[in-house]
Amino acid sequence: MQPFRPEVATRLAELAPRLLEQLDAMTDRMVDVLVRTEPAYRELVEESEQDLRDSTRSNLEGGLRSLMAAAAGSGTPHLASARAVGARRAAQGLPLEAVLRAYRLGGQVTWETLLAVSRDGTAHHDTLLLEVAGSVWRTNDAECAALAEGYRLEQRRLEGVDERARQQALDGLLEGRGSDPAFVRAAAEILGVPLDGRLMAVVALPGPDGVLALRSPGEALLKRGVRSTWGVRGDAQVGLVGLGATRLGDLLALLRGTAHGPVGVSDVVDGAPAVGTAYRLAETAVRTLPAGVSCVVSIDDRLPEALLSNSPEISSRLVGQSLGGLLELPEDERAVLLDTLAAFLATDGSPTRAADALYCHRNTVMHRLRRIESVTDRKVTDPRSRLLWQLALLGTEHAQPARRSA
C-alpha cells in the first residue's frame, strides 16, 4: 500500500478501534451474502458454518490490519494469507470464480464499513477517506491475484500427483522414514499434508458388508479445514491427518460421522519421525474391535485390549487360568454366568446394581456368583481375582453384559 498523507493517516488511526469492533458484524454480513448468492459456499456452510466464519473473519481482520498499518507507513497486503486461502479452496473443490467473488465482496464490505463508522455521529461523508478508496481496491486486486495464484498452484499439484507416488510416500512414513529430512520434504509436497506439527494416524477395516469403513474421509475432513492423506495397506484404509489446531475430540467426532465399520486412531504425535509409531498404535486399536462393529476408538480407549491382543499366547493363558471350568460349562449356563460376572464387575462389585442391569433378583445374582466361585476356584472378594476376571472377559470379547431377564 502507498503511504497516506498525514491527515488521512491520522483519521484512519482514529477509526481503527471502531473498525475492529465491527468485525463480527462484517463477518455475519459476508457469510449471509455468500450463502444467498454462491451455491458453492452454501454447500460449505452446510458442512461447517464455523469453519467458513472463522476463515472469513480472519481474512477481513487481515485486510483491516493491513489498512491500519498503511496509515502508520508500514502496510503491505497479506498476500501469503490470500495464497493459502486459494490453495485451501482449490483442495475443497470450490470454483475459482466463486472464491474470487467472495474476496471482492470482502473488499466491498470493508470499504462500506469504513464509510459507515466515519460518518457515525456526523451524518456526512468524510472526504479524507476518498484517498483511501483507491488503496483499498488496489490491495483487494493484489490479494485476488495472490489467491488465484495459490488456487492454480494447488490445482496443478492435485492433478499432477500420481496415486502410486502418493501411496509410496505414505508407506515410507508409516514404515519409519520420517527421520529422513529429504524424504519428509518430498512426502509433504506429494501428500499435501504438513508433516512438522501435530499428526494422527487412522486405520479403518471394512464393515460387515465388505464396504470401506470410511467413505471419502479426506473430502469430509477438508471441508472442516483438516488436511489428510489416505491410502491402503492390506485390507485396511490408512490415513495420516494433519491436526493443526483441531482438537482430538473434534476429529473423532468428524470420523464418527462417516464411519461404517471399525476405525482405530492413534494418539496425537509430533512430526514425521513419530508417524510409524502412530500407525502401529492406530492399527492395534482397530484390531481390538470385534468384527462387524461400526465405531471409532482411540488407542487410549483400548489399552487393556491392546495389551492382550499384542500377546495372544499370554491372553489365551490368562483366559484359561482365570475363567477355568466356567468356559467348559454348557453354552446356555456359560453365557448366563459370563453375563453375570461382567455385570458384577461393571458395577464395582455390587450384586444389587448387577441385578438391576440384568433385570433379575439380587438373590439370583448371589447364587450365580457362588457358582462362578465354584467353577473358577476364585473368590469374588479377592481383588486380584476380580482383576484377572476383568482382563479375561476382555480377552473373550465379553466385557459388556447382555441384558437378560430372570
Side-chain angles (χ1 to χ4, degrees):
M1 283 187 185
Q2 296 178 349
F4 300 118
R5 290 187 298 121
E7 56 268 39
V8 177
T10 299
R11 181 57 174 151
L12 273 178
E14 292 173 355
L15 295 174
R18 293 161 62 190
L19 266 176
L20 289 174
E21 289 174 359
Q22 297 299 313
L23 263 176
D24 288 335
M26 294 166 67
T27 301
D28 290 342
R29 180 183 171 192
M30 269 202 68
V31 171
D32 178 64
V33 172
L34 289 174
V35 169
R36 286 190 290 104
T37 63
E38 297 289 350
Y41 278 91
R42 194 176 306 130
E43 293 178 7
L44 192 62
V45 164
E46 289 173 357
E47 293 291 337
S48 175
E49 181 176 351
Q50 192 59 49
D51 174 60
L52 178 59
R53 286 188 175 278
D54 291 345
S55 175
T56 300
R57 193 182 194 282
S58 176
N59 293 334
L60 287 170
E61 183 176 7
L64 290 179
R65 294 197 182 280
S66 293
L67 189 63
M68 295 168 195
S74 59
T76 56
H78 56 309
L79 301 185
S81 175
R83 288 191 192 94
V85 171
R88 182 175 173 186
R89 297 306 185 219
Q92 290 176 313
L94 271 70
L96 176 58
E97 295 78 8
V99 185
L100 288 173
R101 283 195 292 270
Y103 241 73
R104 293 189 179 106
L105 174 63
Q108 176 185 336
V109 168
T110 298
W111 172 244
E112 291 175 354
T113 303
L114 178 60
L115 288 180
V117 299
S118 74
R119 64 174 184 263
D120 184 29
T122 64
H124 62 79
H125 290 288
D126 194 328
T127 56
L128 288 176
L129 296 185
L130 293 176
E131 295 185 29
V132 181
S135 183
V136 169
W137 292 111
R138 283 193 299 272
T139 299
N140 189 257
D141 285 343
E143 290 175 350
C144 283
L147 180 144
E149 178 188 2
Y151 186 101
R152 293 188 178 107
L153 284 173
E154 178 67 5
Q155 196 172 49
R156 286 197 294 271
R157 188 193 71 78
L158 291 171
E159 291 171 352
V161 173
D162 181 82
E163 284 303 318
R164 182 177 178 185
R166 192 194 303 272
Q167 182 69 54
Q168 289 175 340
L170 179 59
D171 285 341
L173 290 169
L174 301 181
E175 291 164 7
R177 294 187 64 188
S179 298
D180 179 347
F183 175 79
V184 171
R185 284 194 296 273
E189 175 65 22
I190 292 171
L191 299 175
V193 174
L195 299 176
D196 57 353
R198 299 168 68 241
L199 300 168
M200 190 189 74
V202 182
V203 177
L205 299 178
D209 53 1
V211 176
L212 295 177
L214 295 171
R215 298 167 191 176
S216 302
E219 294 178 13
L221 294 180
L222 190 58
K223 287 180 179 179
R224 302 297 182 94
V226 180
R227 285 185 173 270
S228 62
T229 187
W230 296 83
V232 295
R233 286 174 75 83
D235 62 342
Q237 283 175 283
V238 179
L240 180 61
V241 181
L243 283 173
T246 304
R247 295 178 301 179
L248 178 58
D250 293 340
L251 183 65
L252 292 175
L254 289 175
L255 291 174
R256 286 178 179 126
T258 64
H260 298 276
V263 180
V265 303
S266 70
D267 190 11
V268 179
V269 299
D270 187 20
V275 168
T277 298
Y279 165 64
R280 290 191 293 275
L281 291 174
E283 184 180 39
T284 298
V286 75
R287 300 288 179 186
T288 67
L289 292 172
V293 303
S294 180
C295 66
V296 178
V297 295
S298 163
I299 182 63
D300 289 341
D301 298 329
R302 306 288 291 178
L303 289 176
E305 293 89 346
L307 287 172
L308 293 172
S309 68
N310 279 337
S311 183
E313 296 86 359
I314 296 296
S315 177
S316 176
R317 188 166 183 81
L318 173 68
V319 170
Q321 291 291 317
S322 302
L323 298 179
L326 196 157
L327 298 179
E328 300 173 4
L329 296 173
E331 182 178 352
D332 287 348
E333 184 181 8
R334 180 176 70 244
V336 168
L337 293 182
L338 286 173
D339 274 353
T340 302
L341 182 57
F344 175 72
L345 296 172
T347 56
D348 296 324
S350 168
T352 300
R353 285 193 286 146
D356 290 340
L358 296 168
Y359 297 126
C360 66
H361 196 278
R362 182 180 185 279
N363 289 343
T364 302
V365 171
M366 294 298 297
H367 171 74
R368 292 175 185 173
L369 290 175
R370 286 192 291 270
R371 176 66 170 149
I372 291 169
E373 288 181 326
S374 172
V375 297
T376 62
D377 198 25
R378 295 182 181 278
K379 296 294 184 183
V380 297
T381 55
D382 178 22
R384 182 174 176 82
S385 291
R386 291 191 191 183
L387 172 62
L388 291 172
W389 278 334
Q390 187 72 72
L391 291 173
L393 289 174
L394 292 175
T396 61
E397 298 181 358
H398 204 101
Q400 297 297 323
R403 295 261 180 180
R404 294 178 183 271
S405 65

